[in-house]
Amino acid sequence: MTRRTLAVVSAGLGQPSSTRLLADQLAAATRDELERRGAEVEIRPVDLREHAHDVVNHLLTGFPSPALREVLDAVTGADGLVAVTPIFNASYNGLFKSFFDVVDSDALAGRPVLIGATGGTARHSLALEHAVRPMFAYLRALVVPTAVFAAPEDWSGEGADVALRARIRRAGGELAEQVDRRPAGAGPADPFALTTSFEELLAGRDPA
């Protein structure tokens, strides 16, 4: 059985958080589809509000704390990524952007990503396409076609919950399809790993 990992990043600031709720549901839909395909799935949730101070300190010093390093490794080493942000002033919130600012610029290249967002009104849904998707395109991630936005009325309005769940299932299926196409991840790259053996280095050394 193939083992797959899903990193689930949510940038909600409240507790409880509708952003975290949407992220969990997207992750569950992806997991269910991967399990249907015969994979064993590990979900690695990342609640950014718990790491906000470490993110800021990393921006200031250039060095992550041990806890943040573990989170960054979980995200960059996963087979797929679910990333959900609340929309503030027609864009992602500052915590979401700051976290991905400290992710190595090459770490998500080719990685399947499902994006989602929450906001106070459906008018904010366009931020997924004009702000969130372009950010991951810059990072050269493989963003699945369906992005999922949830406004307050999507959780409780008559028939709205059914429509939201349908979007979640479709997006989760798309992410599962992309993850299933890739070889299982080997985790984050070790920046200190030797790509050449010690003997090869000695053999190739210039005697002069």
Side-chain angles (χ1 to χ4, degrees):
M1 179 177 289
T2 304
R3 183 177 178 83
R4 297 293 190 175
T5 57
L6 290 176
V8 184
V9 175
S10 57
L13 302 181
Q15 188 73 15
S17 167
S18 60
T19 302
R20 174 63 188 270
L21 176 61
L22 178 59
D24 287 346
Q25 292 192 7
L26 290 168
T30 307
R31 178 200 61 210
D32 291 348
E33 178 59 24
L34 283 170
E35 289 179 344
R36 190 186 68 79
R37 294 166 179 256
E40 179 184 354
V41 182
E42 177 188 355
I43 293 178
R44 299 173 177 175
V46 177
D47 197 339
L48 292 184
R49 69 190 299 273
E50 298 176 359
H51 304 281
H53 292 291
D54 285 343
V55 169
V56 172
N57 288 337
H58 187 1
L59 288 169
L60 294 174
T61 66
F63 297 97
S65 67
L68 183 59
R69 179 74 271 164
E70 184 176 345
V71 167
L72 290 169
D73 287 347
V75 170
T76 59
D79 294 298
L81 172 63
V82 174
V84 185
T85 178
I87 299 301
F88 294 166
N89 297 323
S91 188
Y92 35 64
N93 73 358
L95 180 57
F96 187 83
K97 180 62 166 63
S98 295
F99 176 75
F100 285 102
D101 280 347
V102 301
V103 172
D104 185 271
S105 59
D106 296 322
L108 297 180
R111 193 69 46 87
V113 177
L114 193 170
I115 58 174
T118 58
T121 170
R123 292 194 300 272
H124 289 309
S125 62
L126 289 176
L128 277 166
E129 301 303 328
H130 71 65
V132 184
R133 191 182 295 274
M135 185 189 78
F136 284 104
Y138 175 80
L139 294 172
R140 292 179 290 129
L142 179 62
V143 186
V144 301
T146 300
V148 180
F149 181 86
E153 59 268 21
D154 289 317
W155 300 107
S156 58
E158 182 178 353
D161 182 62
V162 174
L164 175 60
R165 289 184 181 277
R167 296 200 304 273
I168 289 172
R169 285 195 301 271
R170 182 170 68 246
E174 291 172 356
L175 181 59
E177 172 69 23
Q178 293 303 321
V179 169
D180 192 47
R181 290 180 177 181
R182 293 165 50 87
D190 181 356
F192 302 106
L194 289 174
T195 57
T196 306
S197 72
F198 186 66
E199 290 77 9
E200 289 172 329
L201 288 172
L202 287 176
R205 186 173 57 188
D206 186 350

